[in-house]
Amino acid sequence: MLHCNREIKEIDKSLLEVRPGNCLDVLPQIESSSVDLIITSPPYAEQRADKYNSIKESEYVDWFIPLGKELLRVLKPTGSFLLNIKAHCGKGERSLYVYELVIALKKACGFKFIDEYVWYKSALPRKWSHRLRDCWEPIFHFSKDKNYINHHELMIISESTFGSKRGYATFNAITGNVGGYHDICKQEPGKTLLENILYFPTALLVKDQYAHPAKFPFELIRCLVKGFCPKGGIVLDPFAGSGMTALAALTWECRSINIELSPKFAKMIRQRIDEFNPMTMRKRAEVQEETIDLFQE
Ligand SMILES: C[S@@+](CC[C@H](N)C(=O)[O-])C[C@H]1O[C@@H](n2cnc3c(N)ncnc32)[C@H](O)[C@@H]1O
């Protein structure tokens, strides 16, 4: 598991903006090419209709395209758009609407598709079916032009990291990372660049007093904010929920714009920030993971 909470200090609460409403109505109020980073998890198709509005799978891509165009408009040329969304299973197979959405974001909206990251979030207890237990969600990375990345902030500890030539790799049993020769970033002894599988188990990391059915783990979002937004930049979450993106942005001294349809959740975002205490976050960083042989006989 990865965490990055130790250095968290007080935040400037005046950098928070909560804009209640439908993001399709609110986004046009945001200046073009002004946002450094958009991180969001929209309502998934056909899911949680009891908690907030749910869009039909067959209508999802058409619903998202105007929104995607607005997100591209507000993004800086160096900006990134990180979209967390996973398709549900129904009638014995996994829906493909998310892949249709990814293609539409490129072809109909004009985003560049940078990569797909795996957020390892740990499996929830579920009825077993004809597939393996589901323990991850994708985070799709789009950009407008060439996106900003801070390699230094995305470096993690690896006990034996750099070889002297290409092709040489080492494995770190503690972090699970493979180090090796990197020529795209400045080498830092004992560290390696984060891989595109992100280990942030939800079960351990989303527990707090703010009740929302789909909270991001703070640690995941903070890591992405630090990596893809310059300190002091602008971070936007158009489906802000309980305000986890807001908190991560503020701890990186960024201005945080949050759009949320539900008045209850919009209020929760303000409450989360008002009640923030850096000591609580530091304690979370002390959670440790044990290494075990999962296939032991
Ligand atoms: C998946 S949740 C986001 C949770 C968030 N990532 C967090 O960490 O708490 C999606 C949120 O989008 C909100 N929402 C749904 N439709 C919306 C819309 N059209 N505009 C703005 N917010 C919307 C829902 O009320 C819900 O809180």
Side-chain angles (χ1 to χ4, degrees):
M1 185 175 72
L2 300 164
H3 50 72
C4 50
N5 293 345
R6 290 200 178 90
E7 81 274 37
I8 289 178
K9 301 189 185 77
E10 258 312 336
I11 54 175
D12 179 353
K13 296 177 182 175
S14 70
L15 293 172
L16 177 73
E17 262 184 49
V18 182
R19 302 196 185 188
N22 183 336
C23 56
L24 260 171
D25 301 329
V26 178
L27 278 168
Q29 300 162 11
I30 297 177
E31 203 184 315
S32 299
S33 302
S34 62
V35 171
D36 293 278
L37 176 64
I38 302 166
I39 303 191
T40 203
S41 182
Y44 294 6
E46 320 270 351
Q47 305 291 293
R48 299 206 168 98
D50 56 326
K51 303 279 191 329
Y52 37 78
N53 67 329
S54 164
I55 297 100
K56 280 195 189 141
E57 181 185 340
S58 57
E59 295 168 7
Y60 201 91
V61 175
D62 287 341
W63 170 73
F64 208 101
I65 286 174
L67 174 65
K69 289 183 177 166
E70 271 301 287
L71 295 177
L72 184 75
R73 180 187 65 76
V74 301
L75 203 61
K76 283 185 185 168
T78 49
S80 282
F81 168 32
L82 297 171
L83 175 67
N84 163 232
I85 181 167
K86 177 139 182 167
H88 56 280
C89 295
K91 298 187 185 144
E93 62 176 340
R94 193 169 291 280
S95 165
L96 290 173
Y97 84 91
V98 167
Y99 294 105
E100 288 166 7
L101 174 64
V102 170
I103 291 167
L105 282 166
K106 180 169 170 65
K107 296 203 166 162
C109 301
F111 278 105
K112 277 170 101 169
F113 178 57
I114 302 304
D115 205 356
E116 176 179 358
Y117 306 135
V118 170
W119 164 24
Y120 169 83
K121 56 183 289 187
S122 63
L124 291 172
R126 288 252 162 87
K127 197 172 137 197
W128 291 8
S129 72
H130 54 285
R131 61 178 69 79
L132 297 180
R133 291 169 74 209
D134 190 12
C135 68
W136 66 280
E137 294 209 2
I139 298 177
F140 298 101
H141 185 177
F142 299 92
S143 77
K144 191 166 186 174
D145 191 355
K146 189 166 183 199
N147 65 277
Y148 168 89
I149 180 166
N150 185 336
H151 291 124
H152 173 74
E153 291 299 335
L154 294 169
M155 300 294 265
I156 56 169
I157 289 166
S158 186
E159 68 212 344
S160 54
T161 308
F162 295 108
S164 54
K165 58 179 189 289
R166 280 167 205 269
Y168 172 79
T170 54
F171 177 70
N172 183 319
I174 299 167
T175 60
N177 282 288
V178 176
Y181 180 83
H182 299 270
D183 56 6
I184 55 148
C185 62
K186 197 167 166 278
Q187 297 191 7
E188 293 185 28
K191 289 194 168 180
T192 189
L193 188 64
L194 191 61
E195 294 165 3
N196 63 7
I197 297 183
L198 304 161
Y199 291 88
F200 293 95
T202 320
L204 291 175
L205 293 173
V206 300
K207 284 182 188 160
D208 61 27
Q209 67 269 43
Y210 308 101
H212 188 287
K215 271 180 283 188
F216 279 142
F218 168 76
E219 289 76 2
L220 168 70
I221 302 307
R222 176 160 159 83
C223 160
L224 295 171
V225 167
K226 286 170 73 180
F228 294 112
C229 184
K231 208 172 215 179
I234 299 184
V235 179
L236 164 70
D237 188 339
F239 298 98
S242 68
M244 209 57 107
T245 306
L247 183 56
L250 265 55
T251 62
W252 194 232
E253 299 170 26
C254 294
R255 196 175 129 208
S256 161
I257 306 175
N258 301 273
I259 309 174
E260 172 54 53
L261 190 59
S262 148
K264 181 176 101 182
F265 295 138
K267 195 172 155 203
M268 188 182 284
I269 301 170
R270 289 204 184 88
Q271 193 186 349
R272 183 191 281 289
I273 300 306
D274 281 346
E275 294 171 353
F276 172 75
N277 175 354
M279 280 314 291
T280 321
M281 305 315 289
R282 275 182 228 152
K283 279 192 193 135
R284 282 161 66 104
E286 286 159 18
V287 178
Q288 294 296 327
E289 196 184 28
E290 286 180 18
T291 308
I292 51 167
D293 177 2
L294 296 174
F295 287 99
Q296 220 167 29
E297 287 179 11

